[in-house]
Every structure is written in C-alpha cells, then in structure tokens.
Amino acid sequence: NSGEVNIGNFGTENRLFYSVSGNHVNLAHLLLNSNRLYNTNIIISDFTYQKVNNSIFGRELDKINVPGLKEPHKIYEVVSLK
C-alpha cells in the first residue's frame, strides 16, 4: 500500500514505543491477510497500482471496505513485471 501514515514514539514518558498508525497501515494489514483468502502472493492497493501500473501486470481482484476510509478500494494481484 502507498499513503501517508503517522510514525514515531507513542505513549508517555514512562513507557514509549515506536510504531506506525493510520488508515493506510490498516489497509496494508488487510492486504497482507487477504493473500490467504485469494490464494495470491502479492496484493497491492489501488493507491500503489496507480503508481506502478506502467511497470507491472496486475489483475483486479475485488473491492474491499477499509475501516476509517469512506469508500471501498480496489485491490490487485501483481502477476508479473512488464
């Protein structure tokens, strides 16, 4: 997935942890878990597909709902490089 995220130290002075958060992180997590469901190796979001579609052959798989994002998003399987 491609998009803006929040990254850094979170917590209090007594307990800090380094993490990343945001809607695009949630989408990336869903894509990772979707590989099992679709029996694929690499799934990318429409955000990433728009950036790399001149370099890869992709097959549209589905539209998925992502918590925090308003509309369903297309997902693609990366088939091969062009």
Side-chain angles (χ1 to χ4, degrees):
N1 187 42
S2 303
E4 292 186 17
V5 298
N6 298 312
I7 188 168
N9 290 312
F10 295 88
T12 66
E13 286 183 20
N14 296 330
R15 184 172 175 141
L16 286 175
F17 60 96
Y18 192 78
S19 187
V20 61
S21 66
N23 292 334
H24 287 282
V25 176
N26 296 337
L27 177 53
H29 182 73
L30 286 173
L31 295 176
L32 177 65
N33 290 331
S34 295
N35 273 312
R36 286 186 219 116
L37 176 66
Y38 293 99
N39 196 26
T40 55
N41 291 314
I42 301 173
I43 294 179
I44 60 174
S45 68
D46 192 44
F47 297 111
T48 300
Y49 182 75
Q50 297 306 319
K51 294 177 185 249
V52 300
N53 65 0
N54 293 331
S55 303
I56 66 160
F57 291 106
R59 179 174 67 99
E60 186 176 331
L61 291 173
D62 206 347
K63 288 185 179 179
I64 61 172
N65 291 313
V66 182
L69 297 177
K70 294 179 182 177
E71 297 181 17
H73 289 276
K74 291 180 185 177
I75 60 173
Y76 297 84
E77 176 185 17
V78 175
V79 177
S80 68
L81 297 173
K82 287 186 178 177

